[in-house]
C-alpha cells in the first residue's frame, strides 16, 4: 500500500499492532488501535519507541487531546469514501496542537486527497489498486480557496 | 448583483477542468461507479429515469440577462430547448449527455455560473427572499450575507462528505418568503434591543420523510460571527449526524435526538473556540460585498408613470387582473416587482423554453436593469419595473405565454417533475397538475378562492414541499397504481406549520375533484376576508374529511 508523504511515496516505518502482538513490539515504533491505546495507556506512554494511535469516526477524538504531545502519529480511518468525519477529526487534532504525522487510512483515494491535506493530513495510505503515478496532480487542482482551513486558516477575505 | 473577480473565475474554471478529468477517468474505468456517483452528484449530475439531469446553481436566485441567454443557448445545443426551475431557485436540464457535461460547465463558467454542490451530501445553494432589497418590511438586504455564505460553502474541504445534504435559507426580516423554517439552518435578520442588526438562527428544520419545523438555537448572532457560528453547527453535525441510515441522517434527526438544549451547548462550546479566529468577518469584506447589491439607478421621474398606469388599469380588465395578482409593492415609489408566472395553462410548472429565456433576457434589459430572479415557488421575478412600463411589459409577457395572472392562486403550484423524469418518484405529478389546471381554468373562480398554496410531490422526499402547502398532495404507489395523499393546513411562511393528512389517499382520476370538494368546504365556511389557510386553522380538518370521504349516493 503506497504511503504518500510530502507528495512522495515513502517506506512505512511504522507497525500497526493488535492485542496479540502489542507486548512483543511495545518498544518499537507502533500504531495502536484506539481501544488498545486506552486500555494500555500508562504502559504505552512509558515505552521506548515512538507511539501512534489509529482512530475511527465512531470513537471520541477529544479523548486524544490530552495526549497529543506523547503521540508521533495519529492515523484516522475512513471506513468509506462517503464518511467525512475524519476531516473534522483532523482539524480538531491540529487545532489542539498536534504536530506529528496525521495519516489518512482506509478508503483514501485521489479525489479526496486535496480536501484531506487542507484539513491537516500530511500522510496518505492509498490502496494499491487505486494508486497511479498521476495521483500527485490531485493536489491543488483548484488553486483558489474561499475558506480558511488547517493548511491556511485565512479565509479569502484575509488572504 | 455579485460580479466575479479574478479569483472567483479561476476557481470556477479550475473546477470545470477538475470535473472534466473526473469524467474522463470514470469513462476510462478508473473510478468505480459508486465513487463517481458521489463526485458527479457534488457537481449536480443525477442519473435519472430517461437521461442524466444536470442541476445548475442560481445562487440565491440572482441572474443577469447574459446568463439567461447562455442558459437558452445551452438548452438548444445540449438539451431539448427547455429548462426547469426548482424549489432551491436552481435550474435543471433534463436531457444532457454525461460526456458533454464538462463542456456545458465550461460554457456556464464563461458567464459566472456553475453546478457546484447542487446535489450530494454537502452544503447546497443558499436561498433567500425573491423580494430581497425591495421589500418595505426588510431590516437589511440578505443578499450580501448569502454571497458571504456562498463563498464560505463553496468547496469547503471539511464539509464535502457530510451525513446528508445541508440547506441554508436567509430572510432579510420577519417576512419569510424563503421557507426558512424548513431548512437545516434558517437565518433571519433581526434587530436587538441595542439597535444592532444580526441574525436569529434556527436549526434542524426540514421536509422529506420526517418534516420538522426548525428550532431556535440563537436569538441574536452578531454579523461578524456568522461564519464561525455556521462552522460550529456544521462541525457538530458532521461529527454526530447519523451515517447508518440515510433517512435518519439529516440534522433535524440529530437535533431531535440530542434535544435542542444539548445541541446548542455543543455548538456554543465549539463556537467559543473558533469565534475569535480568522473566520470572524472583517468590516472591509462586509462593505465590499454590500457594494455589489446597491440599488439600481432608479429613474427620478418613475412616479410620473403612476397616472398613466391608473388609466391603463381602468381600461383593461385583463391587465388589471395581472397587475393585482402578479405584481407586488416596491419600497421605491413609482416601481413595482413583477412575478413572471412559469405556471401557464397545461404546461409543467417551472418549465421555460429557450425562446422564452431569450425573450425574458431582452425584457430584463429593457425594463429591469438586466436582472432576473428565480423564486423558490418556481417563478421568475423582475424586481424593479417602473409603473409606466408595466403595461408594455405585460403585453410582451402575454405574447410569450408568461403572463398568466395566477400568482398566489391555486394554479401557482409547486410541482416536482415526478415519475415522468425522476428515478426517485413513486407517482406521476405532471398529469395531475394538468388535471387540476383543466378543472380550475376559470380565473374568476380562482380569484374568488384567493391566496392559496397547493404543492405536489411525486414521492416522500418532498421536493415540492407538500408538507408546508395549504393543500399538499403526495403521490404514492399502491400496487402499481398512482394514489395521492392529501394534507391540509401547512405553511412555509413566518407562521410555518406542517399539513395534516385528511384520510386515505385518492386515486389519480379523483385528485382534482377532491380539491374541488375541499374548496367547497372553504367557500361554505369562510368568514369575510378569511383566507383558505385561516379557515382550515379555525374549523379544523373534520369538515373537510366529512365532505371528501362522504359516501357516494
Amino acid at each position: 500500500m503506497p504511503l504518500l508523504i510530502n507528495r512522495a511515496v515513502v517506506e512505512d516505518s511504522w507497525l500497526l499492532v493488535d492485542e496479540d502482538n502489542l507486548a512483543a513490539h511495545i518498544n518499537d515504533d507502533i500504531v495502536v488501535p484506539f481501544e488498545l491505546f486506552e486500555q494500555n495507556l500508562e504502559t504505552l506512554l512509558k515505552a521506548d519507541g515512538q507511539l501512534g494511535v489509529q482512530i475511527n469516526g465512531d470513537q471520541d477524538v477529544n479523548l486524544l487531546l490530552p495526549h497529543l504531545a506523547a503521540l508521533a502519529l495519529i492515523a484516522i480511518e475512513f471506513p468509506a469514501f462517503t464518511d467525512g468525519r475524519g476531516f473534522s477529526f483532523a482539524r480538531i487534532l491540529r487545532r489542539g496542537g498536534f504536530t506529528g504525522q496525521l495519516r489518512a487510512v482506509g478508503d483514501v483515494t485521489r479525489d479526496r486527497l486535496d480536501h484531506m491535506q487542507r484539513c491537516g493530513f500530511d500522510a496518505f495510505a492509498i490502496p494499491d489498486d487505486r494508486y497511479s503515478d498521476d495521483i500527485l496532480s490531485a493536489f491543488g487542482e483548484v488553486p483558489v480557496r474561499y475558506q480558511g482551513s488547517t493548511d491556511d486558516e485565512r479565509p479569502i477575505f484575509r488572504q | 448583483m455579485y460580479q466575479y473577480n479574478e479569483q472567483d473565475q479561476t476557481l470556477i474554471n479550475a473546477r470545470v477542468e477538475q470535473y472534466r478529468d473526473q469524467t474522463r477517468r470514470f469513462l476510462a474505468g478508473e473510478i468505480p461507479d459508486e465513487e463517481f456517483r458521489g463526485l458527479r452528484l457534488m457537481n449536480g449530475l443525477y442519473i435519472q429515469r430517461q437521461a442524466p439531469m444536470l442541476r445548475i446553481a442560481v445562487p440565491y436566485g440572482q441572474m443577469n440577462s447574459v446568463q439567461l441567454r447562455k442558459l437558452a443557448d445551452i438548452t438548444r445545443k445540449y438539451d431539448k430547448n427547455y429548462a426547469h426551475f426548482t424549489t432551491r431557485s436552481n435550474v435543471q436540464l433534463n436531457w444532457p449527455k454525461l460526456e458533454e457535461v464538462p463542456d456545458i460547465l465550461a460554457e456556464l463558467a464563461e458567464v459566472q455560473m456553475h453546478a457546484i454542490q447542487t446535489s450530494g451530501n454537502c452544503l447546497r445553494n443558499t436561498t433567500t427572499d425573491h423580494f430581497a432589497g425591495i421589500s418595505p418590511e426588510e431590516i437589511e438586504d440578505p443578499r450580501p450575507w448569502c454571497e458571504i455564505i456562498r463563498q464560505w460553502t463553496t468547496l469547503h474541504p471539511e464539509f464535502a462528505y457530510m451525513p446528508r445534504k445541508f440547506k441554508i435559507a436567509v430572510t432579510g426580516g420577519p417576512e419569510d418568503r424563503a421557507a426558512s423554517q424548513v431548512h437545516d439552518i434558517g437565518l433571519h435578520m433581526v434587530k436587538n434591543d441595542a439597535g444592532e442588526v444580526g441574525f436569529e438562527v434556527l436549526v434542524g428544520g426540514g421536509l422529506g420523510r420526517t418534516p420538522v419545523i426548525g428550532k431556535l438555537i440563537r436569538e441574536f448572532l452578531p454579523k461578524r460571527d456568522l461564519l464561525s457560528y455556521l462552522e460550529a453547527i456544521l462541525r457538530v453535525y458532521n461529527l454526530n449526524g447519523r451515517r447508518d441510515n440515510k433517512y435518519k441522517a439529516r440534522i433535524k434527526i440529530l437535533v431531535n435526538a440530542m434535544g435542542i438544549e444539548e445541541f446548542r451547548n455543543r455548538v456554543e462550546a465549539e463556537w467559543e473556540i473558533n469565534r475569535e479566529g480568522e473566520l470572524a468577518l472583517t468590516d472591509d469584506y462586509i462593505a465590499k460585498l454590500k457594494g455589489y447589491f446597491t440599488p439600481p439607478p432608479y429613474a427620478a421621474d418613475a412616479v410620473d408613470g403612476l397616472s398613466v398606469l391608473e388609466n391603463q388599469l381602468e381600461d383593461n380588465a385583463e391587465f388589471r387582473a395581472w397587475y393585482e395578482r402578479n405584481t407586488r409593492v416596491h419600497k421605491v415609489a413609482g416601481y413595482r416587482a413583477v412575478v413572471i408566472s412559469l405556471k401557464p395553462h397545461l404546461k409543467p410548472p417551472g418549465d421555460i423554453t429557450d425562446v422564452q429565456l431569450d425573450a425574458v433576457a431582452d425584457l430584463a434589459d429593457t425594463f429591469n436593469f438586466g436582472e432576473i430572479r428565480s423564486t423558490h415557488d418556481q417563478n421568475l421575478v423582475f424586481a424593479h419595473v417602473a409603473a409606466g412600463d408595466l403595461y408594455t411589459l405585460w403585453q410582451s409577457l402575454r405574447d410569450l405565454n408568461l403572463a398568466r395572472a395566477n400568482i398566489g392562486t391555486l394554479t401557482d403550484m409547486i410541482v416536482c417533475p415526478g415519475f415522468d423524469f425522476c428515478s426517485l418518484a413513486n407517482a406521476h405529478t405532471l398529469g395531475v397538475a394538468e388535471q387540476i389546471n383543466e378543472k380550475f381554468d376559470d380565473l374568476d373562480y380562482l380569484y374568488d378562492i384567493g391566496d392559496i398554496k397547493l404543492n405536489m410531490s411525486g414521492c416522500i422526499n418532498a421536493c415540492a414541499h407538500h408538507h408546508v402547502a395549504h393543500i399538499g398532495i403526495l403521490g404514492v404507489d399502491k400496487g402499481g397504481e398512482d394514489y395521492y395523499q392529501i394534507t391540509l393546513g401547512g405553511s412555509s411562511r413566518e407562521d410555518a406549520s406542517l399539513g395534516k393528512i385528511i384520510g386515505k389517499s385518492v386515486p389519480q382520476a379523483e385528485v382534482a375533484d377532491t380539491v374541488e370538494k375541499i374548496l367547497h368546504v372553504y367557500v361554505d365556511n369562510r368568514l369575510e376576508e378569511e383566507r383558505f389557510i385561516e379557515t382550515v386553522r379555525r374549523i379544523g380538518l373534520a369538515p373537510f374529511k366529512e365532505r371528501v370521504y362522504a359516501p357516494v349516493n
Side-chain angles (χ1 to χ4, degrees):
Chain A
M1 184 175 295
L3 178 67
L4 270 186
I5 297 181
N6 294 328
R7 305 194 183 183
V9 177
V10 299
E11 275 300 310
D12 190 1
S13 59
W14 290 80
L15 177 70
L16 178 65
V17 296
D18 57 25
E19 207 164 348
D20 297 334
N21 65 4
L22 171 62
H25 295 286
I26 188 81
N27 289 320
D28 298 336
D29 293 351
I30 50 174
V31 180
V32 185
F34 183 76
E35 300 94 340
L36 274 188
F37 172 77
E38 278 194 300
Q39 290 157 15
N40 301 281
L41 188 60
E42 284 185 26
T43 323
L44 287 166
L45 293 178
K46 277 186 290 191
D48 282 345
Q50 294 196 91
L51 182 57
V53 176
Q54 179 159 324
I55 188 168
N56 68 50
D58 290 330
Q59 294 158 339
D60 186 356
V61 70
N62 292 308
L63 297 178
L64 288 181
L65 294 178
H67 309 295
L68 296 182
L71 293 170
L73 180 150
I74 298 174
I76 297 175
E77 196 187 338
F78 288 80
F81 77 90
T82 50
D83 191 329
R85 289 175 291 188
F87 296 100
S88 289
F89 273 28
R91 290 199 71 188
I92 289 168
L93 290 168
R94 289 296 190 206
R95 183 176 70 187
F98 181 64
T99 55
Q101 184 187 124
L102 196 52
R103 183 184 294 192
V105 301
D107 198 327
V108 180
T109 56
R110 175 192 161 132
D111 293 291
R112 281 171 297 288
L113 295 183
D114 191 63
H115 280 0
M116 286 174 176
Q117 177 172 275
R118 291 189 59 195
C119 288
F121 288 97
D122 56 0
F124 311 91
I126 300 176
D128 288 314
D129 62 332
R130 298 304 304 280
Y131 184 84
S132 69
D133 288 334
D134 79 335
I135 206 162
L136 291 177
S137 50
F139 295 100
E141 280 181 326
V142 179
V144 177
R145 280 88 191 271
Y146 282 127
Q147 320 72 14
S149 192
T150 300
D151 61 337
D152 180 351
E153 290 285 352
R154 296 170 307 155
I156 192 112
F157 53 89
R158 292 181 190 271
Q159 288 168 18
Chain B
M1 72 185 258
Y2 185 70
Q3 291 297 314
Y4 280 10
N5 60 29
E6 205 182 314
Q7 285 176 305
D8 300 311
Q9 191 66 51
T10 302
L11 182 146
I12 235 79
N13 293 347
R15 177 69 184 118
V16 172
E17 291 317 306
Q18 183 182 48
Y19 185 74
R20 190 187 294 284
D21 190 53
Q22 287 169 348
T23 304
R24 180 190 63 74
R25 285 185 282 126
F26 167 68
L27 293 172
E30 294 170 28
I31 304 179
D33 283 6
E34 188 52 25
E35 195 170 321
F36 184 64
R37 182 177 177 275
L39 297 175
R40 67 171 161 73
L41 284 177
M42 232 179 268
N43 210 43
L45 189 68
Y46 286 74
I47 302 298
Q48 293 286 47
R49 208 170 280 282
Q50 319 210 28
M53 181 272 278
L54 179 67
R55 186 180 291 148
I56 298 161
V58 180
Y60 39 96
Q62 288 274 317
M63 289 171 289
N64 60 40
S65 54
V66 176
Q67 292 174 325
L68 223 58
R69 288 191 191 95
K70 175 59 90 177
L71 287 174
D73 204 37
I74 285 173
T75 69
R76 277 189 288 269
K77 211 159 147 187
Y78 301 97
D79 207 272
K80 296 191 177 180
N81 301 72
Y82 74 97
H84 173 78
F85 281 95
T86 78
T87 54
R88 283 222 78 58
S89 70
N90 289 323
V91 59
Q92 293 178 178
L93 301 178
N94 279 320
W95 307 93
K97 295 191 180 68
L98 184 140
E99 55 275 24
E100 288 182 349
V101 168
D103 295 332
I104 299 176
L105 296 173
E107 294 217 23
L108 288 170
E110 290 170 14
V111 297
Q112 311 189 348
M113 293 186 91
H114 60 79
I116 295 171
Q117 290 162 222
T118 52
S119 180
N121 296 331
C122 49
L123 289 154
R124 302 287 192 88
N125 187 28
T126 296
T127 49
T128 190
D129 182 357
H130 45 265
F131 297 135
I134 60 163
S135 167
E137 286 85 11
E138 185 172 88
I139 289 170
E140 194 176 304
D141 189 340
R143 292 172 301 168
W145 304 99
C146 291
E147 176 57 27
I148 287 171
I149 296 170
R150 183 194 74 80
Q151 297 191 5
W152 169 74
T153 54
T154 300
L155 306 185
H156 198 301
E158 185 179 349
F159 306 126
Y161 296 90
M162 291 196 291
R164 202 72 181 85
K165 59 188 169 182
F166 204 95
K167 300 173 178 179
I168 302 173
V170 190
T171 72
E175 284 194 313
D176 188 354
R177 281 175 286 260
S180 71
Q181 297 190 53
V182 286
H183 276 72
D184 297 287
I185 292 178
L187 296 166
H188 306 148
M189 304 221 71
V190 290
K191 204 174 263 185
N192 67 7
D193 293 340
E196 298 157 334
V197 174
F199 300 95
E200 174 185 73
V201 187
L202 303 188
V203 71
L207 296 171
R209 272 159 213 256
T210 317
V212 182
I213 304 282
K215 295 172 182 65
L216 183 68
I217 183 166
R218 189 158 243 290
E219 278 182 15
F220 187 84
L221 178 70
K223 287 172 171 176
R224 68 182 287 277
D225 297 325
L226 176 64
L227 295 185
S228 58
Y229 198 78
L230 291 180
E231 188 146 307
I233 293 177
L234 265 299
R235 188 164 294 137
V236 171
Y237 170 57
N238 191 41
L239 288 170
N240 298 287
R242 284 181 64 171
R243 291 175 185 268
D244 58 331
N245 179 343
K246 75 170 183 171
Y247 302 118
K248 297 189 186 303
R250 295 285 291 269
I251 195 173
K252 62 193 173 188
I253 305 289
L254 176 66
V255 172
N256 278 350
M258 209 178 247
I260 184 67
E261 289 300 324
E262 173 62 13
F263 186 82
R264 179 186 294 120
N265 291 343
R266 293 206 195 189
V267 168
E268 297 271 330
E270 175 61 36
W271 185 43
E272 273 311 307
I273 304 173
N274 268 7
R275 188 178 178 180
E276 297 305 326
E278 305 272 343
L279 268 179
L281 294 169
T282 62
D283 292 343
D284 279 355
Y285 181 54
I286 295 170
K288 189 175 131 193
L289 290 194
K290 281 189 175 178
Y292 288 105
F293 298 93
T294 50
Y298 296 120
D301 60 358
V303 281
D304 299 347
L306 289 171
S307 56
V308 183
L309 173 65
E310 215 163 291
N311 292 333
Q312 291 161 334
L313 290 170
E314 199 83 356
D315 292 347
N316 189 322
E318 204 188 336
F319 173 60
R320 192 173 62 242
W322 175 83
Y323 174 86
E324 283 169 2
R325 288 298 340 173
N326 292 24
T327 75
R328 296 288 183 276
V329 63
H330 193 294
K331 67 182 181 190
V332 176
Y335 281 87
R336 295 287 286 183
V338 169
V339 183
I340 297 174
S341 175
L342 297 186
K343 317 289 173 66
H345 193 50
L346 304 184
K347 298 267 197 247
D351 277 11
I352 186 165
T353 67
D354 61 324
V355 175
Q356 288 173 324
L357 282 164
D358 274 332
V360 169
D362 292 344
L363 291 172
D365 283 340
T366 310
F367 298 114
N368 196 46
F369 306 97
E371 180 203 280
I372 303 100
R373 302 178 182 191
S374 51
T375 77
H376 96 276
D377 36 18
Q378 302 181 291
N379 292 307
L380 299 178
V381 163
F382 279 7
H384 326 273
V385 181
D389 290 337
L390 285 168
Y391 188 80
T392 321
L393 174 62
W394 168 70
Q395 287 179 311
S396 302
L397 290 173
R398 194 188 49 181
D399 294 345
L400 291 162
N401 198 20
L402 292 171
R404 193 175 185 204
N406 64 343
I407 298 305
T409 72
L410 187 75
T411 57
D412 184 13
M413 298 175 258
I414 299 179
V415 181
C416 74
F419 195 88
D420 291 307
F421 292 98
C422 178
S423 51
L424 300 173
N426 299 121
H428 294 81
T429 52
L430 300 179
V432 180
E434 272 195 26
Q435 187 190 109
I436 292 170
N437 261 306
E438 280 174 339
K439 179 104 195 168
F440 301 101
D441 190 24
D442 179 9
L443 280 176
D444 288 330
Y445 180 71
L446 289 184
Y447 298 157
D448 177 54
I449 296 298
D451 286 333
I452 192 163
K453 194 78 215 132
L454 185 152
N455 297 345
M456 177 165 30
S457 305
C459 76
I460 193 72
N461 291 303
C463 293
H465 298 187
H466 65 273
H467 300 292
V468 287
H470 303 168
I471 301 177
I473 301 179
L474 165 66
V476 293
D477 174 81
K478 269 195 183 177
E481 301 276 321
D482 287 0
Y483 273 72
Y484 297 84
Q485 189 182 74
I486 293 173
T487 50
L488 291 181
S491 168
S492 69
R493 297 289 306 251
E494 49 280 0
D495 61 351
S497 57
L498 301 171
K500 294 195 180 73
I501 299 168
I502 61 165
K504 66 177 178 15
S505 53
V506 303
Q508 182 171 44
E510 293 172 22
V511 175
D513 289 346
T514 306
V515 172
E516 187 179 39
K517 288 176 192 166
I518 290 167
L519 294 177
H520 280 154
V521 177
Y522 162 59
V523 170
D524 291 350
N525 287 275
R526 67 181 164 188
L527 304 175
E528 211 177 327
E529 301 285 307
E530 192 176 50
R531 295 180 310 137
F532 177 82
I533 181 72
E534 292 157 355
T535 305
V536 173
R537 284 176 177 164
R538 181 172 56 78
I539 68 176
L541 293 195
F544 294 96
K545 287 181 181 178
E546 207 173 295
R547 184 82 60 104
V548 168
Y549 299 108
V552 184
N553 294 320

